[in-house]
Amino acid sequence: LFTYSSSPLCGLKKKKKEKKLNSYVPVTSFTGALTNESLTKFQVVVLTNSSLDEQMRVGDFCHSNGIKLIVADTRGLFGQLFCDFGEEMTVFDINGEQPLSAMISMITKDSAGVVTCLDEARHGFESGDFVTFTEVQGMTELNGCDPIEIKTLGPYTFSICNTSSFSDYVRGGIVTQVKMPKTVAFKSLSSSMAEPEFMLTDFAKFDRPGQLHVGFQALHAFEKKHSRLPKPWSQSDADELVTLAEEVNATQSGSAKQEQLDQAIIKKLSCVAAGDLAPINAFIGGLAAQEVMKACTGKFMPIMQWLYFDALECLSDAEDAILTEEECRNCRYDGQIAVFGSKLQELLAKQRYFLVGAGAIGCELLKNFAMMGLASGEGEVIVTDMDTIEKSNLNRQFLFRPWDVTKMKSETAAAAVKQMNPSIRITGHQNRVGPDTEKIYDDDFFESLDGVTNALDNVDARMYMDRRCVYYCKPLLESGTLGTKGNVQVVIPFLTESYSSSQDPPEKSIPICTLKNFPNAIEHTLQWARDEFEGLFKQPAENALQYMTDPKFMERTLKLPGAQPLEVLEAVYKSLVTDYPHSWEDCVVWARNHWQCQYNNNIRQLLHNFPPDQLTSSGAPFWSGPKRCPHPLEFSTNNDLHMDYIMAAANLLAQSYGLPCSTERSDLTKLLQDVKVPEFTPKSGVKIHVSDQELQSANASIDDSRLEELKTRLPSAEAASQFKLCPIEFEKDDETNFHMDFIVAASNLRNYDIPPADRHKSKLIAGKIIPAIATTTAAVVGLVCLELLKIVQGHKKLESYKNGFMNLALPFFAFSEPIAAPKHKYYEIDWTLWDRFEVKGIQPSGEEMTLRQFLDYFKNEHKLEITMLSQGVSTLYSFFMPAAKLKERLDLPMTEIVTKVSKKKLGKHVKALVFELCCNDETEEDVEVPYVRYTIR
């Protein structure tokens, strides 16, 4: 890879820092002339900030010599990207998605055989896809066949090749999508300049790429003529650029020629071209870096071939906001001032922002904040993240280095950006956002903020922060990535809907019975292994510790629904009595017996209930379709996987009881030879549930006598306090803690004829690792910071803001204005989720409002009769309340009623309460109204 910039010091300045960033990537600087001979050493050449003449010369040479070329440029609020990967570029994976697979229920014999999949889920294939087959019984000619092109006939059916001469289909089979290589052809830069193919980034700017294609050529002509770019907001330079653009357009032939130039766009390009904006650089840079990866690997579809981007919406939406040349000055932020003027820079310096999360997106946001000068004056950035840095973070969280592993993310990130920009005022916290930290992030904290930026990895935390921003009427910038996919959502008070206004469908969960007895995919066995880990090494120790330390544990446990009280107490009894180990040898014995139970005894019992030749009531084989028939295992010390399981399980049990551990395999083998495993005989009458519906409908009766027996036989809490118990939290990244050793072995030992998963794949699935790459993160954060610039300027028009979605693998980009906050109405008053009734609880006399006065206030001031009043889950008033209780409450202050009903004291940090209302209007019709913010301090 060769990256060339006309800025001669660029490579020298960055060389040492890039080496620190990743010592495995050799980086060398080149300061000589860009000759054809020097280009031949590289597979990929990236040109930035280079002249058009140089681009043409290098482009023609690269195209004729099989060298892939990328041109990336930014000019203020505009960006340009060009790719030429040769006349025959092979793409091995066009979309980056995991290959689809489906289970088969039928295949016909026909000139175009029809495959029908099980109706548990749609197959998801498209016509033109290629597939192959495994595990087909009967029509075995399909097993392991070369990829076959399909034609979809419906959500559960598709046709394949001629199957008329194949054997009759009997049952079973799995069809799997095959990624087929695709060859794409690129034109050279000079050819493509005249006949450009545009990648559209914003469908609302359909004609913009063609205009900017001419505009960027005019910029090159201007720079060649004057040896400089147009001066910021110079009207004479803007007029000259329009003239040059018209001359360029006049010389164009073919599709590059524009019927009419948009002079306003060309003038805006001239006014901001000298600018240099971190968010635009991040967006175009992220895209360019991903194109380099595509050029090197053939993974994902490249940009064909020109991409133009602009963010003119960032300019002030005030009609009279016209910048002049005089406003632009020389300082660290001159590239930003050239575009927006010095007033915005002063506003940015005063901003007080709350950043939630210091992971991949958080690090990139902090870098951009530092480069933009956010909170570089009187303002402040508060970043909170309770996580520590892990080694796996280093591939995308670039503020961290190998020596930072185990340090707190927020503190380390804050220190890193402070080095980038010593002027930034930043504070790192290690708090989780949620109800537990509302004493820290209280009314005073949120009211002091100018905005919130989320950099979170879970929906619950996102929704919590969304609710807080709506309550305090603060703008929220929300974003996320998933591999090559990324999204940005901007939430503006009194203008847009909130993040919680629309939700993704819930993740599809795996049925319990599938996990326990009928797995058919590696995801099932890995989830079962994770559940085993929690159920063996975490939950029992937690329950036992609670039993020993919490006086109300027994009382609370006995109130649990169904059979849970017995299950919990059985687990505690096992932890403290029957399964309590006193030595490493005890741990080995327990692990060996547990292995026998899970991989032999339970499977034999399952096959006793449902023999391999069992038929259903309809005469179909029971073990068919999604049900794979298992096979019991016989333990052997010569089997590495068997020994891996025992070693991991014994060590984990020893860790949870504070006992010495061992990694000596030979000693373990000797110990296992002396372990006596009880004989097992499958029993009749043992109920095994086939579906979750059957499991839920089963009567969960409790053996009261056993419950009483456990209560008496459990050691007293005082006596149990001598036990050393330590719940184990699953940690996927420590290669020495036996966690992943247990998961891999436990999953792969489930003998259901499911292809095993190696350690890497097991870690991805069991660790629920969300794919994340630096390129998507950079591009997404660039877009977030463009929205931040709009918020700081105080944009009031909905159309000024942009929600965005991208998939760099396809590639695909979509921008849209945010959805307006939905309007509701009572009487003639419109209201949205951002509105509320503001009620001052403390009256001028100094006394607090009573419930009677509160009800009268709404009746007199808003003509609303309150029929029900609640605070959180507590009902404070209802029209059907017993007369005695109503009489008791009517003359009590509101806060006294709240503390009395909720049985919780109000914290000193609470300045206001939220009340929910049900109301009738004057016609006694039920009306929907906003909530009440009841101020008490």
Side-chain angles (χ1 to χ4, degrees):
L1 169 66
F2 181 66
T3 304
Y4 183 80
S5 171
S6 61
S7 301
L9 297 178
C10 179
L12 292 175
K13 287 178 180 177
K14 294 181 178 178
K15 181 182 174 183
K16 288 185 179 179
K17 290 186 178 180
E18 286 168 349
K19 197 165 186 177
K20 285 182 183 177
L21 192 62
N22 189 344
S23 59
Y24 298 105
V25 178
V27 179
T28 56
S29 59
F30 175 77
T31 57
L34 191 58
T35 63
N36 290 348
E37 184 182 352
S38 63
L39 291 171
T40 57
K41 301 173 183 177
F42 303 100
Q43 292 174 277
V44 185
V45 172
V46 183
L47 295 179
T48 65
N49 199 30
S50 55
S51 68
L52 184 58
D53 291 341
E54 190 168 57
Q55 290 175 11
M56 289 291 199
R57 179 180 66 80
V58 172
D60 286 342
F61 182 83
C62 287
H63 189 82
S64 59
N65 286 273
I67 302 168
K68 298 175 176 68
L69 173 72
I70 296 168
V71 177
D73 267 319
T74 60
R75 293 285 181 263
L77 286 165
F78 296 85
Q80 176 196 54
L81 199 59
F82 170 78
C83 295
D84 171 15
F85 296 166
E87 294 178 4
E88 287 189 4
M89 162 75 172
T90 302
V91 180
F92 300 100
D93 179 357
I94 62 171
N95 59 16
E97 301 296 329
Q98 286 295 318
L100 300 170
S101 66
M103 289 188 153
I104 299 165
S105 63
M106 184 62 195
I107 306 174
T108 65
K109 293 177 69 172
D110 214 326
S111 57
V114 175
V115 179
T116 304
C117 299
L118 290 173
D119 59 6
E120 290 191 332
R122 296 165 179 258
H123 55 62
F125 299 133
E126 297 178 2
S127 293
D129 283 350
F130 285 78
V131 299
T132 189
F133 296 82
T134 55
E135 301 182 34
V136 176
Q137 296 182 37
M139 199 177 283
T140 55
E141 293 89 343
L142 288 174
N143 288 331
C145 65
D146 291 334
I148 301 170
E149 187 173 359
I150 68 166
K151 179 182 179 182
T152 56
L153 304 175
Y156 306 101
T157 56
F158 59 87
S159 62
I160 53 173
C161 58
N162 187 340
T163 57
S164 56
S165 62
F166 290 179
S167 308
D168 290 340
Y169 173 80
V170 177
R171 72 170 73 94
I174 296 172
V175 57
T176 304
Q177 184 184 36
V178 178
K179 297 271 181 125
M180 301 297 288
K182 182 176 181 179
T183 301
V184 289
F186 291 79
K187 289 183 282 191
S188 67
L189 178 61
S190 53
S191 298
S192 186
M193 191 69 78
E195 293 288 343
E197 183 179 349
F198 296 124
M199 168 87 236
L200 200 60
T201 58
D202 191 339
F203 292 97
K205 302 174 180 179
F206 190 78
D207 60 344
R208 192 70 54 86
Q211 297 286 334
L212 294 181
H213 191 64
V214 172
F216 266 78
Q217 290 178 70
L219 266 183
H220 283 291
F222 186 102
E223 194 169 8
K224 187 175 182 179
K225 180 179 178 182
H226 297 284
S227 299
R228 63 171 176 85
L229 287 165
K231 293 177 183 177
W233 298 97
S234 165
Q235 294 308 307
S236 59
D237 281 0
D239 291 339
E240 184 178 349
L241 190 71
V242 169
T243 303
L244 287 170
E246 286 172 342
E247 291 173 5
V248 169
N249 193 44
T251 63
Q252 297 292 318
S253 58
S255 61
K257 189 178 180 68
Q258 300 297 298
E259 286 186 19
Q260 185 172 354
L261 280 181
D262 188 331
Q263 292 191 10
I265 294 296
I266 303 299
K267 285 185 177 182
K268 287 280 176 67
L269 175 60
S270 173
C271 290
V272 302
D276 187 17
L277 301 177
I280 295 289
N281 294 338
F283 179 72
I284 295 296
L287 268 57
Q290 189 63 60
E291 294 309 302
V292 171
M293 296 297 104
K294 295 175 185 178
C296 294
T297 65
K299 190 169 177 68
F300 309 147
M301 184 61 72
I303 288 172
M304 300 292 293
Q305 283 184 259
W306 290 94
L307 180 144
Y308 286 96
F309 175 79
D310 76 83
L312 287 176
E313 302 82 12
C314 289
L315 295 173
S316 177
D317 59 4
E319 296 294 331
D320 57 348
I322 300 174
L323 292 172
T324 61
E325 288 182 67
E326 287 71 34
E327 285 194 63
C328 304
R329 62 189 184 186
N330 249 350
C331 71
R332 176 186 179 121
Y333 312 108
D334 58 353
Q336 199 159 263
I337 292 171
V339 177
F340 298 109
S342 55
K343 185 180 177 182
L344 173 63
Q345 202 58 50
E346 291 165 7
L347 285 172
L348 282 167
K350 295 175 182 176
Q351 294 296 299
R352 182 174 164 84
Y353 254 76
F354 188 29
L355 171 59
V356 189
I361 290 177
C363 281
E364 190 70 26
L365 279 165
L366 286 173
K367 180 206 75 174
N368 277 268
F369 289 172
M371 296 298 99
M372 294 162 67
L374 187 78
S376 59
E378 299 168 15
E380 185 182 15
V381 172
I382 303 98
V383 55
T384 188
D385 195 311
M386 65 282 180
D387 282 349
T388 55
I389 299 162
E390 299 174 1
K391 193 173 182 179
S392 61
N393 298 150
L394 301 180
N395 81 312
R396 62 198 179 280
Q397 298 174 22
F398 75 103
L399 295 182
F400 309 138
R401 300 293 181 267
W403 51 85
D404 293 325
V405 171
T406 73
K407 293 180 184 176
M408 298 305 299
K409 285 185 176 181
S410 57
E411 290 179 350
T412 309
V417 295
K418 192 81 174 168
Q419 283 190 320
M420 291 181 179
N421 186 350
S423 299
I424 190 171
R425 294 182 62 193
I426 183 167
T427 306
H429 290 183
Q430 294 81 49
N431 305 313
R432 184 190 300 272
V433 290
D436 294 342
T437 53
E438 286 181 5
K439 288 182 180 178
I440 301 167
Y441 305 123
D442 56 11
D443 292 348
D444 290 336
F445 175 81
F446 270 96
E447 285 166 4
S448 72
L449 296 175
D450 292 296
V452 175
T453 311
N454 275 352
L456 291 158
D457 60 1
N458 69 89
V459 172
D460 290 342
R462 283 184 166 112
M463 293 183 71
Y464 173 80
M465 287 308 302
D466 180 64
R467 290 194 299 272
R468 299 297 274 174
C469 288
V470 169
Y471 177 70
Y472 293 105
C473 297
K474 300 297 177 184
L476 170 67
L477 289 164
E478 169 60 53
S479 59
T481 68
L482 183 69
T484 57
K485 302 185 186 84
N487 72 283
V488 177
Q489 181 179 355
V490 58
V491 178
I492 305 297
F494 305 102
L495 198 61
T496 73
E497 67 173 11
S498 73
Y499 171 80
S500 305
S501 299
S502 57
Q503 294 181 37
D504 292 331
E507 286 186 32
K508 190 177 180 182
S509 59
I510 306 169
I512 295 171
C513 292
T514 298
L515 290 175
K516 189 174 182 182
N517 294 312
F518 306 108
N520 58 61
I522 195 66
E523 288 79 8
H524 301 163
T525 63
L526 283 165
Q527 182 60 55
W528 177 86
R530 278 288 280 112
D531 294 346
E532 271 277 282
F533 185 97
E534 299 287 317
L536 293 173
F537 309 118
K538 184 186 176 188
Q539 290 166 357
E542 284 181 343
N543 289 337
L545 283 172
Q546 286 182 25
Y547 169 73
M548 292 186 285
T549 57
D550 186 353
K552 293 187 177 181
F553 172 78
M554 185 66 74
E555 177 189 338
R556 204 168 56 249
T557 300
L558 294 175
K559 290 180 181 178
L560 292 172
Q564 287 184 53
L566 186 59
E567 290 171 0
V568 171
L569 292 185
E570 285 279 16
V572 173
Y573 186 69
K574 278 186 175 183
S575 296
L576 297 178
V577 183
T578 56
D579 287 353
Y580 190 92
H582 296 86
S583 64
W584 165 249
E585 290 76 14
D586 288 349
C587 295
V588 172
V589 171
W590 171 86
R592 173 66 183 87
N593 282 316
H594 193 73
W595 186 100
Q596 190 71 18
C597 179
Q598 295 291 32
Y599 302 109
N600 183 282
N601 300 356
N602 289 352
I603 301 300
R604 286 164 62 195
Q605 182 65 59
L606 181 63
L607 293 175
H608 177 78
N609 284 39
F610 307 107
D613 57 357
Q614 171 107 0
L615 300 178
T616 64
S617 57
S618 62
F622 176 85
W623 294 104
S624 62
K627 292 187 179 68
R628 292 172 173 266
C629 186
H631 314 285
L633 298 177
E634 294 298 331
F635 184 80
S636 171
T637 54
N638 295 321
N639 188 305
D640 288 340
L641 197 57
H642 295 189
M643 292 295 287
D644 288 347
Y645 180 93
I646 302 296
M647 179 67 79
N651 272 286
L652 288 167
L653 189 72
Q655 289 172 28
S656 66
Y657 283 92
L659 294 170
C661 299
S662 172
T663 57
E664 291 297 327
R665 218 166 175 95
S666 56
D667 292 347
L668 181 64
T669 303
K670 290 177 184 176
L671 284 173
L672 287 168
Q673 289 170 352
D674 297 328
V675 176
K676 304 296 182 188
V677 179
E679 286 291 326
F680 173 80
T681 305
K683 300 172 185 175
S684 298
V686 175
K687 180 65 176 175
I688 296 177
H689 301 293
V690 176
S691 67
D692 281 12
Q693 292 88 342
E694 191 179 298
L695 177 65
Q696 290 167 3
S697 61
N699 292 322
S701 58
I702 295 183
D703 185 342
D704 291 327
S705 61
R706 176 59 180 162
L707 199 61
E708 290 302 317
E709 182 186 357
L710 285 171
K711 286 164 66 178
T712 56
R713 294 184 65 178
L714 275 168
S716 66
E718 295 77 19
S721 62
Q722 64 183 314
F723 298 131
K724 294 180 181 178
L725 281 157
C726 178
I728 298 177
E729 292 284 345
F730 178 68
E731 171 51 62
K732 66 186 182 301
D733 290 322
D734 186 342
E735 297 297 320
T736 64
N737 63 7
F738 292 103
H739 295 198
M740 279 309 304
D741 300 80
F742 177 83
I743 297 296
V744 173
S747 171
N748 288 337
L749 280 169
R750 299 200 79 191
N751 203 8
Y752 280 78
D753 294 329
I754 298 169
D758 61 20
R759 190 182 186 89
H760 177 68
K761 184 176 181 181
S762 298
K763 184 188 282 193
L764 288 175
I765 298 171
K768 296 183 178 177
I769 295 175
I770 298 171
I773 51 177
T775 50
T776 313
T777 305
V780 162
V781 168
L783 297 178
V784 171
C785 290
L786 290 174
E787 299 307 305
L788 173 63
L789 289 168
K790 300 171 188 177
I791 292 170
V792 174
Q793 290 178 88
H795 284 212
K796 303 295 183 189
K797 296 176 182 176
L798 188 69
E799 59 268 25
S800 294
Y801 294 97
K802 292 279 187 180
N803 288 345
F805 173 80
M806 69 181 76
N807 186 341
L808 301 187
L810 296 177
F812 173 79
F813 303 89
F815 294 96
S816 63
E817 68 179 49
I819 297 173
K823 289 186 177 179
H824 309 277
K825 200 169 191 174
Y826 70 94
Y827 294 129
E828 295 304 311
I829 300 171
D830 289 326
W831 64 277
T832 71
L833 62 100
W834 296 100
D835 295 297
R836 77 286 304 274
F837 293 111
E838 293 283 357
V839 178
K840 292 183 178 178
I842 307 302
Q843 300 174 85
S845 63
E847 294 184 353
E848 191 193 343
M849 188 181 281
T850 64
L851 175 59
R852 187 191 303 275
Q853 291 169 329
F854 185 87
L855 298 175
D856 289 344
Y857 170 81
F858 273 87
K859 199 163 190 175
N860 299 330
E861 294 295 322
H862 300 288
K863 299 177 184 177
L864 294 169
E865 182 181 357
I866 297 175
T867 56
M868 189 176 291
L869 173 67
S870 62
Q871 192 262 335
V873 295
S874 304
T875 301
L876 310 181
Y877 164 80
S878 65
F879 71 92
F880 52 79
M881 185 177 280
K885 186 179 283 188
L886 177 59
K887 185 179 179 183
E888 177 191 336
R889 291 186 185 177
L890 274 174
D891 295 313
L892 290 177
M894 296 296 289
T895 53
E896 191 175 328
I897 298 171
V898 169
T899 53
K900 190 173 183 179
V901 176
S902 67
K903 298 178 182 177
K904 292 179 183 176
K905 290 183 179 180
L906 294 177
K908 291 181 180 179
H909 64 284
V910 177
K911 291 172 66 176
L913 298 172
V914 173
F915 295 143
E916 300 285 347
L917 307 177
C918 291
C919 294
N920 287 342
D921 62 15
E922 290 183 314
T923 64
E924 297 189 357
E925 287 292 320
D926 185 32
V927 289
E928 191 176 356
V929 296
Y931 66 87
V932 176
R933 187 173 186 267
Y934 181 80
T935 308
I936 58 175
R937 290 188 178 90

